[in-house]
Amino acid sequence: MSFQLKILGSNSAMPAYGRHHSAQLLNVQNHYFLIDCGEATQMQLSRYKCKTLRISHIFISHLHGDHYLGLMGLIFTMHLLRRKSDLYIYGQKGLREIITTQLKYSDTVLNYNIQFRQLDPSQPELLFEDNTVEVSSFPLFHRVPCCGFLVKEKPKPLRLNKEKLPPKLSLAHIAQLKKGEDLYDDQGQLLYKNTDLTLPPRKSRSYAYCSDTKYEEAIIPHIAGVDLLYHEATFLNAKEMWAAQTFHSTTTQAAEIAKKAEVGQLLIGHYSARYNDLTPFLAEAKAVFDNTKLATEGEAIDVPDL
Amino acid sequence: MSFQLKILGSNSAMPAYGRHHSAQLLNVQNHYFLIDCGEATQMQLSRYKCKTLRISHIFISHLHGDHYLGLMGLIFTMHLLRRKSDLYIYGQKGLREIITTQLKYSDTVLNYNIQFRQLDPSQPELLFEDNTVEVSSFPLFHRVPCCGFLVKEKPKPLRLNKEKLPPKLSLAHIAQLKKGEDLYDDQGQLLYKNTDLTLPPRKSRSYAYCSDTKYEEAIIPHIAGVDLLYHEATFLNAKEMWAAQTFHSTTTQAAEIAKKAEVGQLLIGHYSARYNDLTPFLAEAKAVFDNTKLATEGEAIDVPDL
């Protein structure tokens, strides 16, 4: 099953050098989660052949323009594409007002419902869950209320050991095996022990997104051990003082968080418009945490199903 | 002196085939007027090497997203670029609220002032004038309150006839000649008749912008005789019924307006996302009004200084 992150935007504050504002599309087992939605995200979705109407949930970390100004355009385009299903939007206080004000003045009644949920930037919250996936938020440390997001697969069923499986098992028996139950016949006699026919479940994969934040170790408990961590790295190390003043992080700080949280892989982005060449970003981060990757627009990162 | 229109966006409703939402930059004698500002206009300005901070006045025809959703991003970028001079924004009722709501939640105090003026969509109004240029609005006929804009050069001074000009004329005398005055000596004796030393002034050039409107001949008096008319042509003729229902125009309707208003040149755009090939747009419009051009992003149209 898929667990793929597609980078739609990678730059901070101002678009530059062909890089766009923050936006990512995460496909987890056919859930399509849009995480942040900078200006021109709808064009980026189109450029990279992502199906706009598949997006079910949109998570906006905070109300700086480079993280949400593409949202209204996407909402209108979904309307024009005749979306019918509810769209779930999670954002800070104010986002609902920003949306409804603009719908009012455009005199638009959408074909679909927006289900808006206001984030609580002060504590972790479960935002969404179903049988296979859950999404929660946690506090980040920025100039305005800001949340990170954690997306985790739910614990998975046991796998059937195809080499050991007897022929013609009923669907009911297969379901019992996946749940960890032993199999009995109609008289209550043990037929098969579960452990003889199953293998351990696949690993539940996880992704954490830290959009805009200063270096802050209080984040670590929320993201500890994730397979993939996106952590902003707006500046190179030389700008550490400026990063602190603007509540942003450097490459080394992002890598320190990744290392201390013992994550699988680190993805950095949210590059300042002052930098054209991103090579030093990778070098600086890798010096602290080797398994680091640069967020590059149009690229997809797959978390393997092990 | 310059009178140049740069096309930044040419599509309606949804971006498609690499075409963006409505936006145009008009340079009249070093005034930089931005007319409509669809999503990603700031990227288009950058792509086409337009100097963002030179823009002094922004005119937004109406509050459909494809005409204004790039405005907040541009406002924030001007702030980050450390703009100091006032920015004049003209828009329908609601635009001020849309801007201030978003500034509030982003916790941004801009480096510069926005001078906002609410348009009156019911009657023509003079919006801006100085010694050389004036801009006014006039009603269009769309689903929501919508204005067109008319930009005109003020009457120009007489030109000096360099072949006839006596040597060593004082600056004061030259200024008098340009105003149409005869020249006298200190004793009040006629030195030169104005008509002997001057040529008629250059033509005052004009541009009219009709963003979104149904076919409506009431527009004609406002745009009669302009050198360059932009009139939306969202649909080909085959969709005339649909154009009427959605308060848009067809190619032929745009050309009919141009013909009846006796304009110099017609520019059509605001193409529906249903069309990839725009060749039939030009053919249909030219059948009615030959001097028609397609709005093409990145292209500039110069109105010559005759």
Side-chain angles (χ1 to χ4, degrees):
Chain A
M1 294 294 287
S2 57
F3 195 112
Q4 185 185 73
L5 182 71
K6 190 118 183 181
I7 307 301
L8 303 170
S10 63
N11 222 51
S12 73
M14 285 189 292
Y17 308 113
R19 302 190 306 251
H20 295 73
H21 284 156
S22 293
Q24 302 184 352
L25 184 64
L26 183 67
N27 170 5
V28 181
Q29 299 195 32
N30 291 323
H31 301 70
Y32 288 83
F33 299 134
L34 184 65
I35 304 176
D36 279 343
C37 185
E39 185 174 354
T41 294
Q42 64 169 320
M43 288 82 152
Q44 294 290 87
L45 285 165
S46 170
R47 171 178 298 171
Y48 297 123
K49 315 245 181 284
C50 306
K51 294 194 171 137
T52 299
L53 287 184
R54 279 193 179 165
I55 296 166
S56 55
H57 296 68
I58 302 179
F59 302 90
I60 303 292
S61 63
H62 66 300
L63 292 183
H64 280 158
D66 55 330
H67 293 260
Y68 84 90
L69 283 177
L71 184 58
M72 280 313 299
L74 188 60
I75 286 171
F76 284 126
T77 288
M78 286 176 166
H79 171 71
L80 293 166
L81 292 172
R82 304 190 189 285
R83 183 189 185 97
K84 294 290 176 205
S85 59
D86 288 4
L87 179 66
Y88 293 82
I89 301 180
Y90 305 79
Q92 304 293 343
K93 180 177 189 306
L95 185 56
R96 186 205 301 259
E97 183 184 342
I98 288 169
I99 295 169
T100 53
T101 302
Q102 294 183 84
L103 287 176
K104 178 177 75 176
Y105 288 113
S106 76
D107 198 22
T108 302
V109 178
L110 297 174
N111 302 324
Y112 59 94
N113 292 317
I114 291 178
Q115 305 281 1
F116 182 81
R117 174 160 167 184
Q118 187 173 311
L119 297 170
D120 179 350
S122 70
Q123 58 181 345
E125 280 190 307
L126 180 66
L127 302 179
F128 166 79
E129 68 172 335
D130 65 6
N131 291 334
T132 54
V133 181
E134 66 176 46
V135 185
S136 52
S137 63
F138 54 89
L140 294 177
F141 299 86
H142 197 43
R143 284 196 300 111
V144 293
C146 187
C147 287
F149 301 110
L150 174 65
V151 183
K152 290 191 332 195
E153 286 181 318
K154 287 281 186 73
K156 296 177 178 176
L158 293 165
R159 285 175 296 155
L160 301 176
N161 187 338
K162 285 176 186 164
E163 289 177 8
K164 302 269 182 74
L165 223 54
K168 297 188 183 171
L169 265 190
S170 69
L171 288 176
H173 275 162
I174 287 173
Q176 285 178 287
L177 284 176
K178 287 187 172 178
K179 282 191 245 173
E181 296 170 8
D182 298 327
L183 301 188
Y184 294 87
D185 67 11
D186 293 345
Q187 281 70 46
Q189 291 289 318
L190 181 69
L191 285 172
Y192 301 102
K193 274 190 72 69
N194 186 286
T195 48
D196 292 340
L197 302 185
T198 62
L199 296 168
R202 291 188 193 277
K203 188 172 180 300
S204 295
R205 295 165 289 183
S206 52
Y207 173 60
Y209 175 80
C210 300
S211 57
D212 278 25
T213 188
K214 70 183 180 77
Y215 178 82
E216 178 52 68
E217 295 186 1
I219 294 169
I220 293 170
H222 304 301
I223 63 172
V226 295
D227 295 292
L228 180 63
L229 168 67
Y230 171 88
H231 193 291
E232 69 125 297
T234 309
F235 299 107
L236 292 174
N237 284 328
K239 290 277 172 196
E240 188 179 333
M241 292 279 285
W242 184 240
Q245 282 175 44
T246 56
F247 287 73
H248 284 298
S249 301
T250 66
T251 50
T252 300
Q253 289 172 336
E256 286 286 351
I257 294 288
K259 187 178 174 184
K260 289 179 179 165
E262 298 179 354
V263 308
Q265 184 172 31
L266 171 64
L267 182 70
I268 53 173
H270 200 258
Y271 316 113
S272 162
R274 72 177 64 218
Y275 304 107
N276 185 357
D277 178 17
L278 301 177
T279 320
F281 279 75
L282 192 61
E284 287 188 359
K286 271 180 169 289
V288 176
F289 187 83
D290 187 58
N291 195 9
T292 300
K293 216 177 135 51
L294 293 177
T296 304
E297 295 175 20
E299 278 193 17
I301 298 111
D302 286 286
V303 180
D305 201 8
L306 301 173
Chain B
M1 293 295 286
S2 56
F3 196 112
Q4 185 186 71
L5 183 72
K6 190 117 181 180
I7 307 300
L8 302 170
S10 63
N11 223 50
S12 72
M14 286 190 292
Y17 309 112
R19 302 190 305 250
H20 295 73
H21 284 156
S22 293
Q24 302 184 353
L25 184 63
L26 182 68
N27 170 5
V28 182
Q29 300 196 30
N30 291 322
H31 300 70
Y32 288 82
F33 299 134
L34 183 66
I35 304 176
D36 279 343
C37 184
E39 186 173 354
T41 294
Q42 64 169 318
M43 289 81 151
Q44 293 290 86
L45 285 165
S46 170
R47 171 179 297 170
Y48 297 122
K49 314 245 181 285
C50 306
K51 295 195 171 134
T52 298
L53 287 184
R54 279 193 180 165
I55 295 167
S56 54
H57 296 69
I58 302 178
F59 302 89
I60 303 291
S61 63
H62 66 300
L63 292 182
H64 281 157
D66 55 331
H67 293 259
Y68 83 90
L69 283 177
L71 184 59
M72 279 313 298
L74 188 61
I75 286 171
F76 284 126
T77 287
M78 286 176 168
H79 171 70
L80 293 165
L81 292 172
R82 305 190 188 284
R83 183 189 185 96
K84 294 291 176 206
S85 59
D86 289 5
L87 179 67
Y88 293 81
I89 301 180
Y90 305 78
Q92 304 292 343
K93 182 178 189 305
L95 185 57
R96 187 204 301 258
E97 181 184 344
I98 288 169
I99 295 169
T100 53
T101 302
Q102 295 184 83
L103 288 176
K104 178 178 76 177
Y105 287 114
S106 76
D107 198 22
T108 303
V109 178
L110 297 174
N111 302 323
Y112 60 94
N113 292 316
I114 291 177
Q115 305 281 1
F116 182 81
R117 173 159 167 185
Q118 187 174 310
L119 297 171
D120 179 350
S122 69
Q123 58 182 345
E125 279 190 309
L126 180 66
L127 301 178
F128 166 79
E129 68 172 335
D130 64 7
N131 291 334
T132 53
V133 181
E134 66 175 48
V135 185
S136 52
S137 64
F138 55 88
L140 293 178
F141 299 86
H142 197 42
R143 284 197 300 112
V144 293
C146 187
C147 288
F149 301 110
L150 174 65
V151 183
K152 289 191 331 196
E153 288 180 319
K154 288 279 185 76
K156 295 178 180 176
L158 293 165
R159 286 176 295 158
L160 302 176
N161 188 340
K162 286 175 185 165
E163 289 176 9
K164 303 268 181 76
L165 223 54
K168 297 187 183 172
L169 265 189
S170 69
L171 288 177
H173 275 162
I174 287 173
Q176 284 179 287
L177 284 177
K178 285 186 174 180
K179 282 190 245 174
E181 296 169 10
D182 297 328
L183 301 187
Y184 295 86
D185 66 14
D186 293 343
Q187 282 71 46
Q189 290 291 319
L190 181 71
L191 286 172
Y192 301 102
K193 275 190 70 74
N194 187 285
T195 47
D196 292 340
L197 302 185
T198 62
L199 295 167
R202 290 187 193 278
K203 188 172 180 299
S204 294
R205 295 163 290 181
S206 53
Y207 172 60
Y209 176 80
C210 301
S211 58
D212 279 26
T213 189
K214 70 184 181 76
Y215 178 81
E216 178 52 66
E217 296 186 2
I219 294 170
I220 294 171
H222 304 300
I223 63 172
V226 295
D227 295 291
L228 180 63
L229 167 68
Y230 171 87
H231 193 292
E232 70 123 301
T234 308
F235 300 106
L236 292 174
N237 284 329
K239 290 277 171 195
E240 187 179 335
M241 292 279 283
W242 183 239
Q245 281 176 45
T246 57
F247 288 74
H248 284 299
S249 301
T250 66
T251 49
T252 300
Q253 289 173 336
E256 286 286 353
I257 294 288
K259 187 177 173 184
K260 289 180 178 166
E262 298 180 354
V263 308
Q265 185 172 29
L266 170 65
L267 182 70
I268 53 172
H270 199 259
Y271 315 113
S272 163
R274 73 178 62 217
Y275 305 107
N276 185 357
D277 178 17
L278 301 178
T279 321
F281 279 75
L282 192 60
E284 287 188 359
K286 271 181 168 291
V288 177
F289 188 83
D290 187 58
N291 195 9
T292 300
K293 215 177 136 52
L294 292 177
T296 304
E297 294 175 20
E299 279 193 15
I301 298 111
D302 286 286
V303 180
D305 201 8
L306 301 174

